[in-house]
Amino acid sequence: MNTIVVRDATEADFERIVALNAMWVQETSPMDIVRLRHLHGFAFHHRIALVDGEAAAFLLAMRDGTAYLNDNYGWFSAQYPHFVYVDRIVVDATVSGRGIGRLLYEDLFARSRASDIGMIACEYNIEPPNPASKAFHDRFGFVEVGTHHVAGGSKRVSLQIAYIMEHTAA
């Protein structure tokens, strides 16, 4: 791995993004091109990481106040007035462990700070467990603020937040 470039995702990337998501659908949720177009329309931050010119990871996040219908996003909206919600972050298993997820999160945190948003919200599975995601989010200072069941009760998620600025707008 020589060169990593993080840039905005475009419709030309959608087919690859859907394929990446399918690799980790147990940890995320199903997404086809139609769904991705819908999510992209709500996105505050939709970035892709290229490794040597090939799409290897993506991050999709929504800002507070978006008309996005999602149980987890809705939970955060009811609890917090200002946040960015990570809908999903996916890294191709062939490049996992090389810091690409960290680069995508650092990029999101920088954009959020520049937009005066001091909180990032996300969730990850705790039933079935996803210890890699837990360890990843722990490194960024995320803390659990709740749990709930999703996917018709087949999954339980840990609802997490990380403060990325000393002062968060009220």
Side-chain angles (χ1 to χ4, degrees), residues 4-121:
I4 301 172
V5 175
V6 175
R7 63 162 172 77
D8 288 336
T10 67
E11 189 146 351
D13 301 314
F14 285 7
E15 187 174 312
R16 176 64 177 147
I17 290 170
V18 167
L20 285 166
N21 189 80
M23 292 177 189
W24 298 101
V25 72
Q26 175 68 22
E27 288 76 21
T28 61
S29 61
M31 181 174 66
D32 60 14
I33 294 282
V34 173
R35 176 90 174 131
L36 178 56
R37 280 191 189 106
H38 180 75
L39 295 175
H40 182 79
F42 288 122
F44 163 73
H45 194 80
H46 189 193
R47 303 280 278 173
I48 191 163
L50 306 173
V51 176
D52 294 333
E54 298 295 323
F58 73 95
L59 185 148
L60 182 60
M62 283 63 161
R63 188 174 174 162
D64 59 88
T66 301
Y68 176 41
L69 298 177
N70 171 282
D71 289 343
N72 299 319
Y73 177 85
W75 188 91
F76 287 112
S77 293
Q79 308 300 317
Y80 303 101
H82 301 291
F83 62 92
V84 170
Y85 170 72
V86 177
D87 183 73
R88 62 193 78 209
I89 179 171
V90 175
V91 178
D92 189 320
T94 64
V95 296
S96 182
R98 297 184 188 176
I100 297 166
R102 177 184 50 78
L103 289 174
L104 286 169
Y105 258 34
E106 288 172 352
D107 181 59
L108 172 65
F109 286 22
R111 170 116 190 262
S112 298
R113 282 186 199 103
S115 299
D116 202 28
I117 304 167
M119 179 191 297
I120 306 294

Side-chain angles (χ1 to χ4, degrees), residues 120-133:
I120 306 294
C122 71
E123 83 284 335
Y124 56 77
N125 293 349
I126 52 178
E127 291 175 14
N130 187 342
S133 188

